[in-house]
Amino acid sequence: MIGRTIATYGISPLWVTLATVVAAPAIGGLLTGIDRKLTARLQNRVGPPIWQPFHDLVKLWSKERITVNQVQLLYVYAHLFLMIASLVGLMLGQDLLMIFFIFAFSSVSLILGGFSVRSPYSRIGSQREIMQLMAYEPVLVLMAIGIYLATGSFFVHEIITSGNPLLYSLPLVFAAYAVILVVKLRKSPFDLSTAVHHVHQEVVKGLLTEYSGPYLGLIELANWYELVFLLALGGLFWATSLWGALLAAAVLFLFQVVVDTVSARVTWAWMLKFVWTVGLGLAAINIVWLYM
Amino acid sequence: MFEMLRTVMQNLFSRPATRLYPKEQREPFPSARGHIESVIENCIFCGLCQKRCPADCIVVDRAGKDWNLDPYRCIICGVCVEVCPTKAIVMSTYFRKPARMREPLTYHQEERGRPPKAKPGQDPGEAKDQM
Amino acid sequence: MPGRTVIPFGPQHPVFPEPLQLRLTMEEERVIDAVPALGYMHRGIEQLAQTKDYAQNVFLMERVCGICSFMHALCYCQSVESLLGIEAPPRARFMRTIQAELGRLQSHYLWLGLVADACGFESLFMQAWRNREMIMDCQEAVSGSRVTISTCAIGGCRRDWDDGVLQELTRRLDDVERSMDAIAPVFFEDPLVKQRTVGAGIITKQEATLLGAVGPVARASGIVEDMRRLGYAAYDELDFKPVVETSCDSYARMIVRLRETFQAINLIRQALKKMPAGEVLNKWKGTPEGEAISRVEQPRGELMYYIRSNGGKNPERLRIRTPTLSNIPSLVKMLKGSRLSDVPVIALSIDSCISCTER
Amino acid sequence: MIDNVVPVTRETLLAEAQRLADGGQRLISATAIDQGEYLEILYHFDKDLKLTHLKLEVKPGEEVPSISRVYFCAFIPENELKDLFGINISNIVIDYQGKFFLEDEAPRTPLLKSKPPEQGDPREVAR
Amino acid sequence: MGFISTARVKSPWIMHFETGSCNGCAIEVFAALTPVYDLERFGILNTGNPKHADIMLVTGCVSFRAGRVLRNLYHQMPGPKAVVAIGVCALTGGIFHDCYNLAPGVDKVIPVDVYVPGCAARPEAIIAGTVMALDRLAGKAGPPNIAPGEPRRGLEEGRVVEIAPGNSDK
Amino acid sequence: MDAWPIALAILLPVATALLAYIFRIRAARVLAVVVMAAGLMVSALALAGRGSFTYTPESVLGLPIDTLITILDLALLGYLVWIGLSMRRLSVVLLAGLQLAGLGYLEFWLRGSTPAVLPAEPAMVIDRLAVTMNLIISGVGSLVVLFALPYMDEFERRQKAMKTRQPRFFLFLLLFLGAMNGLVFSNNLLWLYFFWEATTFSSFMLITHTGAREALANGLRALWMNLLGGLAFVLALIFLARNAHIVSLRALAGWPLAGWPGWRGLPPIGSSPDLLLLPMGLLCFAAFTKAAQFPFQTWLTGAMVAPTPVSALLHSSTMVKAAVYLIIRLAPAFRGTTLGILVAVIGGFTFMAASTTAIGQANGKRVLAYSTIANLGLIIAMAGINTPQALSAALLIIIFHAISKALLFICVGTIEHGIRTRDIEEMEGLFYKMPMTTIITVVAMTSMMLPPFGVLIGKWLAIEASVRFPLLLPFVVLGSALTVVFWSKWLGRILTVSYHRKFRLEKLPLLISASMLVLAAAVVVASFGIASVFDFLAAPVVRGQFGIAGVVTPRADLATGMGEFIPWPIFLLIVLVLLAIPISFSRVKPADIRPPYLCGENAGEKPGTSFYSARDEINLTRTGNYYVTGVFGEASINRWAYPIAVGLLLLMIGVIKP
């Protein structure tokens, strides 16, 4: 991980920031492409080429700029910038809790963007996104706490450099994280607030319904950053070796792709119940175990 | 979920079911109804096809020796092919390819035995040789 | 006080392949009122049929609905045949049965795919539709067209099949059954699919009768109602029992359709075995007179044609009562009290076919 | 060709429908036929594959009671009759006021062979 | 082709609207998305939302009500956009061209780029038509077709109804 | 003289109150209040500029102050008994009567029979904690009072009051300010008790201000709950006087319980320290009632019937803070004891339960009330565990919550007058009606839940502080996650911008917009300079107790040993995004604005909001927020929250049993 590199070699934070901002969308876009290709193959189809997301992005940016009101763009920028900020924070080895709060701010601005128009679908999507936020946020915070208990620090750069892989001490938290990863990426069975790719949703495209063209492109870009952020967070569980971190991230990535293909969408009430019992339960058990 | 997991895993390790349409084209079934074409030199302008066509897409101009077809209204039921006494209408097994303009076709019979001439739009013909 | 939500659900909506609007009034996501709005697909076929002659009307009736087009043609032909007092030859009756069941198969697979899609189960949708394509190939093999197959004619069938077609059909049926065996357990047992369908849109047996429910909707509520028992086409010579479930919810409707697909494969096999040789089309002449009613069991339920003729070239009145038309009242009832996320599942659970409904 | 036809009048229609409902009959549909002078309305019922019909004859513009209070599902064919034939059916449970299938631009009462009655057009009444 | 045109051509997102045919073509559009034809290998996604779509696939013979919807949807699509009319109903009304509740032909309501004939149009034909419509996105096509005659009416005023629970029973 | 700011802080509001009551002229009242506000701020700044000091006033107008306070105390309680009698509320009579008896016992019997209060203990101690509270009371409080001036005019216009009751209103509002300042300066527990009861009293008078039936009922509920706390307070006083001869807060807090090497205070007098657990617990109980902790939360939510300035001043930023102030004062004593953990758990539980309940509320003021209860719970929880970081978190939340919440109440009051409702559902499209108020409300709400604002940083610190306390941790984690939910819902509702409409700035009275703007600026500036705020106000308090600060501010941020929060990059980002506003506005042309997606059935003049449905009717579309009352409604929450809260209280009483 880059954070460790800074800690060890003292690379300037500016370079890390720049590298993150540039490299993350490339990785995120490619991963999205792989995701779509893999999903297609799992469904016995050929699927799009893996660089398809980049075509989509360029096309979206070249589309006519239409909006429902003048302020929609604001929320998209806030969402994107804060998402980048949380990823950069992670790469710079900052306080995990602070990163999570910035991350939450990013999600909230997307929610507000959905709310800002008088479109019922967009707003129902936002309401559901709030429910998703409510579901995963405590698990994220508990995860940070579990990591603190295991390593004695909230700083990512200290977490990386501390002794054993976190997986040894936090296996259940890792499992809980896998659950909320699916929630956060809005993949089936938790694709409640918006529809990914060609899924057909009762709320059309949920909170993205009213975003089109370049705005949608920016959100897509933010999604790539988000994907990289979440996978890097997963990599933290085996951060002692670069290969370990990549493996952990890859396992999470494949997990969510497969889960996405083999499950139907659930209702948000069920999601809340499931994440709060299984996700929180797993994390809590692990943390209680750490206390003992 | 586990039932589905088995299916998708089988899918992953088997060839996709996809027919790569423009690259590979499947031979149509022999009985396939693709589109109708006129063999205008056989036409006797009896008007039976016009009378029986459910979609009213054929207009036979006996005086002008024109056989007009609106291929963009034709429902390809094949009734005209069945009723034509001289087999002047044939059913092709290939579907008619998409077009940018929709204009009716007019087959004009110059003289018996001469090759047909389509006007004013070109007969879009078959999709096979296009893609 | 929770706020009230009023949304249009349709006419253009990703989960509806057809334009139907439901004006949903909800409290949070609980539907408290649903008003259907139709008229997006109304063409006026009943009026158009009065201007076309009896033979042309076969093709018109096929295009009442593209999914169950054969059933419309069959029902219309039967009604005219009964006006004329003629019957289709035995071979034609078996051919009609086979095509009716093929149509049922593709319609049910289509529906299973759509309901999987409505549940948000994309891969299941893909699998169901992949299987449907095999049936489409069968249809194309026997008729030359994928959708509106145009094989039925007054007095029998337009074209006979040769042995190659029949062998092809047998072979493909085996493939279909094999791949269906692989995904049927998902519909039956998958916990998430069950979670979405069990208990959604309950309509009891008493309600079902009063609401005029037909087809799988009625059969899922425990009503033994299957027009095939009338014995039209060759059904009187085949062995089958209507599929009936009693749990009255969307799950039951799904299971009814799923079991009917296997039943349909079985019926086709039976028919292929018993099919006699001989003529397929009885010629007819003259103009019919009087009135007649013909009913068949469409994939969606009972289809009724009422025809009245005064001896003219065209029918005087042709009334088409399609199954979805009868099931929409049930839909209105089911939607009240359901959740928004279940609206697609419930709306699809009557297998609405709007082009039938509005003609 | 069709049997079991019970003639009813506008007064006895509801009672007959109620009787059939009590007998467990299922309403299939209602069909109107324009006979020039009058309109013939057939209500089709079914029980155990056996059909029963109620036959009602109405003059143009006459008010017909709705049986949708007895059979909820009748609101669909009744709205249809209102649209396509301009039959003045009152008290439908969900009344679309002649805009069930047809919107303003479409011709009124397309299935009526004669000219529609001026005062009886439901869409005008609704305004 | 330029960089942007390439991206546009490689990533056409579609939406489908059915305006009142027999469903045959509508279902064939769906069939084109499924594994056997798999439109997604061209980068095509069925978005179901005009705001995200580049190409609108229209099937059906455009009843009056559906025409109103069609016009709204077209208005809500961001440019560059293309319309593909699928099936003879959408082209001319097909067998229904004489019906009373139609303005037969999509091009009577919105401009159409590509006509896909067929009753019903085969999935292959739909793919071919969609591919043809890419020219519009690449900026290579001429002006789209609009049928001559009076334009259909657009949005108009009507009565505003407040929803109360159960007002369907009035 | 050293003490003029103190005198000013306490007596100026009292004098202004009496003036406003006697001279019933609006102009005079406005002038007096404005002068008072200025005076209070000057005094607060003067106090803040000085170091810690003690002060013991001897007499006022020749009367010894002790005696004066005793007389006033008895009179107050007597009046409360009379209120109980006239309103026929037995509980009030009983509770006030018992207090009266207890106080009499304390003053007349006990004082004679035991040695006098240690002369070394000053009656008032002005340290940095008191200064912080004083700044909040005098700064935020004055602004709220200024806001109240135009607000009450509008309020009475809307109530169609024949005769103005404003003199009475300002009498109690300003009396309350004085009492509050007195409370935070007092070291003598008897004085503290008097001011405590005075806040209870003025709260009651202000809740019942309109005299409506609902207001009376809710006021009485608030009264008896607070009197219950008062009774506990008196009992604690009696116990302390009898067994420990302590009547000083500092002495009490200086007691090391459970063997902790305590504050450099006074030696114990002839009794075992464990005995102090009981009065400590009773005082905590009193604080719970005043801070409306579960199960006493209903009085605060009921108090929302009062005019909005009352809610802003009494029920969010100051009066309820008196309770947490008391607990923070006591915290050094019970640190590390079971009592401390229980206090923390009760606070944490309230934090979570109140946040949960807030999700189910559609009434704006009730949401604010529950959010207040939740934050008080968090402060109490932090005081309960009382580590350097926890104490820092508690102090930060006190400061930032006071500013943000007062601002929010002011905004909601303004909104209520603008759109005639406080229902969140009706606040849709507020941006068009009141753009300025909306923007300020957005700032206030954001500051309650999102980084980089102070309250959130306080929560961050709270989470890091409670990591080592597994009993408290789940509550804090869940509570802070749930907080985001109800704020975002509300924010989303007011931020909705309809399709195609012009808007212009609303006209607000000068005092309203001024107080709003000042508070909003305070929120932003204080959050941006959180490091300085912390260094100046909170760090000395923490250092005073622990010798170390626990939180350092190396890079204009807050850093604990385990983590660090750097707010300024986020500010930078926000500014960057805000810069995009003019760009986005200028780039959007009218032709680019298309109606929202309504399944293609957009209709009517405003195609964005209505659609064609059955019979081609045009329907307005709308979307309600989700409240999930089946889960988050008060009734369903109380079903499990009451038993748990009561159980926890019983547990606490069990622990403190001597």
Side-chain angles (χ1 to χ4, degrees), chain C residues 8-11 16 18-24 34-41 328 331-332 354 358, chain D residues 75 94 96 99-101, chain E residues 65 68, chain F residues 601 611-617 619:
Chain C
F9 203 87
F16 282 168
E18 303 165 280
L20 158 71
Q21 192 194 47
L22 296 167
R23 186 187 67 200
L24 300 179
V35 179
L38 298 145
Y40 298 99
M41 298 184 85
I328 281 182
L331 174 64
V332 173
I354 307 302
E358 304 188 0
Chain D
F75 82 90
I94 303 178
Y96 287 82
K99 295 185 180 180
F100 188 55
F101 280 158
Chain E
R65 258 188 202 149
R68 176 176 80 197
Chain F
E601 275 291 33
F611 62 94
Y612 287 110
S613 73
R615 317 166 204 138
D616 286 342
E617 273 167 3
N619 288 278

Side-chain angles (χ1 to χ4, degrees), chain E residues 130-168:
Chain E
T130 313
V131 169
M132 212 170 194
L134 295 179
D135 285 355
R136 155 81 47 222
L137 302 182
K140 288 196 303 192
N145 299 300
I146 306 168
E150 277 288 294
R152 297 286 314 282
R153 67 159 192 182
L155 307 168
E156 58 145 356
E157 239 179 288
R159 289 166 297 139
V160 176
V161 181
E162 290 283 328
I163 303 293
N167 79 338
S168 57

Side-chain angles (χ1 to χ4, degrees), chain F residues 267-543:
Chain F
I269 304 165
S271 63
S272 147
D274 282 350
L275 276 177
L276 289 180
L277 265 179
L278 177 66
M280 210 73 93
L282 286 171
L283 287 175
C284 286
F285 181 84
F288 290 158
T289 57
K290 182 137 282 198
Q293 300 295 287
F294 274 65
F296 302 112
Q297 84 282 14
T298 44
W299 81 256
L300 204 148
T301 51
M304 292 299 136
V305 296
T308 299
V310 177
S311 317
L313 187 58
L314 275 73
H315 305 134
S316 71
S317 57
T318 56
M319 180 172 97
V320 286
K321 292 277 160 55
V324 296
Y325 163 79
L326 182 63
I327 290 191
I328 288 179
R329 282 281 187 208
L330 295 176
F334 56 69
R335 175 143 73 115
T337 61
T338 320
L339 176 64
I341 292 296
L342 269 173
V343 168
V345 169
I346 292 175
F349 176 74
T350 300
F351 177 49
M352 187 203 71
S355 303
T356 316
T357 321
I359 296 174
Q361 301 301 315
N363 179 327
K365 275 183 84 173
R366 286 182 86 87
V367 172
L368 294 185
Y370 274 111
S371 152
T372 304
I373 297 171
N375 277 291
L376 293 173
L378 186 59
I379 299 168
I380 290 176
M382 288 301 105
I385 60 176
N386 198 28
T387 60
Q389 279 133 24
L391 188 57
S392 310
L395 292 168
L396 280 180
I397 298 174
I398 287 188
I399 298 166
F400 285 100
H401 175 257
I403 309 175
S404 295
K405 195 49 76 59
L407 177 57
L408 268 175
F409 268 109
I410 288 184
C411 291
V412 170
T414 314
I415 291 169
E416 191 183 351
H417 279 177
I419 62 170
R420 315 265 145 170
T421 175
R422 53 175 76 158
D423 190 344
I424 294 175
E425 291 297 309
E426 304 294 320
M427 290 187 192
E428 185 164 316
L430 190 67
F431 191 73
Y432 285 102
K433 291 168 199 144
M434 326 177 79
M436 191 180 87
T437 317
T438 309
I439 289 171
I440 291 176
T441 314
V442 169
V443 170
M445 285 186 192
T446 317
S447 75
M448 286 299 295
M449 61 157 179
L450 290 176
F453 291 100
V455 180
L456 189 272
I457 297 182
K459 285 206 182 95
W460 163 80
L461 205 51
I463 294 176
E464 298 213 340
S466 50
V467 165
R468 287 286 169 200
F469 296 87
L471 282 177
L472 175 63
L473 191 62
F475 297 130
V476 176
V477 169
L478 281 179
S480 52
L482 293 170
T483 306
V484 186
V485 175
F486 58 87
W487 288 125
S488 337
K489 275 193 317 190
W490 192 353
L491 256 185
R493 173 100 350 199
I494 61 173
L495 275 177
T496 299
V497 179
S498 287
Y499 170 79
H500 254 331
R501 269 170 65 183
K502 291 258 176 278
F503 63 91
R504 58 195 168 82
L505 282 182
E506 75 272 32
K507 282 204 172 60
L508 289 176
L510 175 69
L511 281 175
I512 288 186
S513 47
S515 51
M516 275 201 305
L517 284 173
V518 170
L519 278 173
V523 166
V524 176
V525 170
S527 297
F528 189 75
I530 189 163
S532 315
V533 170
F534 179 80
D535 280 340
F536 183 68
L537 291 176
V541 180
V542 183
R543 222 174 280 124

Side-chain angles (χ1 to χ4, degrees), chain A residues 64-67 69-70 74 85 95 98 105 115-116 118 120-121 123-124 127 134 148 154-155 210 291, chain F residues 428 450-451 460 464 467 493 496-498 562-564 566 584 587 592-594 597 599 621 625-626:
Chain A
E64 188 186 3
R65 186 181 288 269
I66 65 168
T67 74
N69 57 40
Q70 291 97 335
L74 191 65
D95 185 326
M98 177 180 81
F105 195 174
F115 267 123
S116 82
R118 271 198 67 161
Y121 292 105
R123 298 178 64 169
I124 293 173
Q127 299 278 7
M134 184 154 85
Y148 168 79
F154 281 107
F155 285 114
E210 299 305 334
Y291 273 118
Chain F
E428 185 164 316
L450 290 176
W460 163 80
E464 298 213 340
V467 165
R493 173 100 350 199
T496 299
V497 179
S498 287
M562 19 184 194
E564 186 180 15
I566 317 176
S584 90
R587 284 191 76 164
D592 296 341
I593 294 186
R594 308 269 166 92
Y597 174 74
C599 294
T621 171
N625 274 3
Y626 292 5

Side-chain angles (χ1 to χ4, degrees), chain C residues 4 12 18-19 23 25 38 40-44 63 65-66 110 126 129 132-133 140 146-148 355, chain E residues 15 18-23 27-28 30 34 36-37 48 63 65 96 99-101 119 122 163 165 167:
Chain C
R4 184 147 292 170
Q12 194 275 328
E18 303 165 280
R23 186 187 67 200
T25 308
L38 298 145
Y40 298 99
M41 298 184 85
H42 181 66
R43 287 148 278 172
R63 281 160 182 78
C65 170
L110 180 154
M126 294 289 181
W129 280 61
R132 177 175 178 268
E133 282 302 316
E140 200 173 355
R146 282 167 56 90
V147 181
T148 36
S355 63
Chain E
M15 71 169 281
E18 156 75 47
T19 59
S21 69
C22 68
N23 264 351
I27 298 303
E28 294 294 65
F30 264 71
T34 55
V36 176
Y37 296 99
S63 71
R65 258 188 202 149
F96 305 119
C99 287
Y100 55 79
N101 197 31
C119 186
R122 298 177 56 91
I163 303 293
N167 79 338

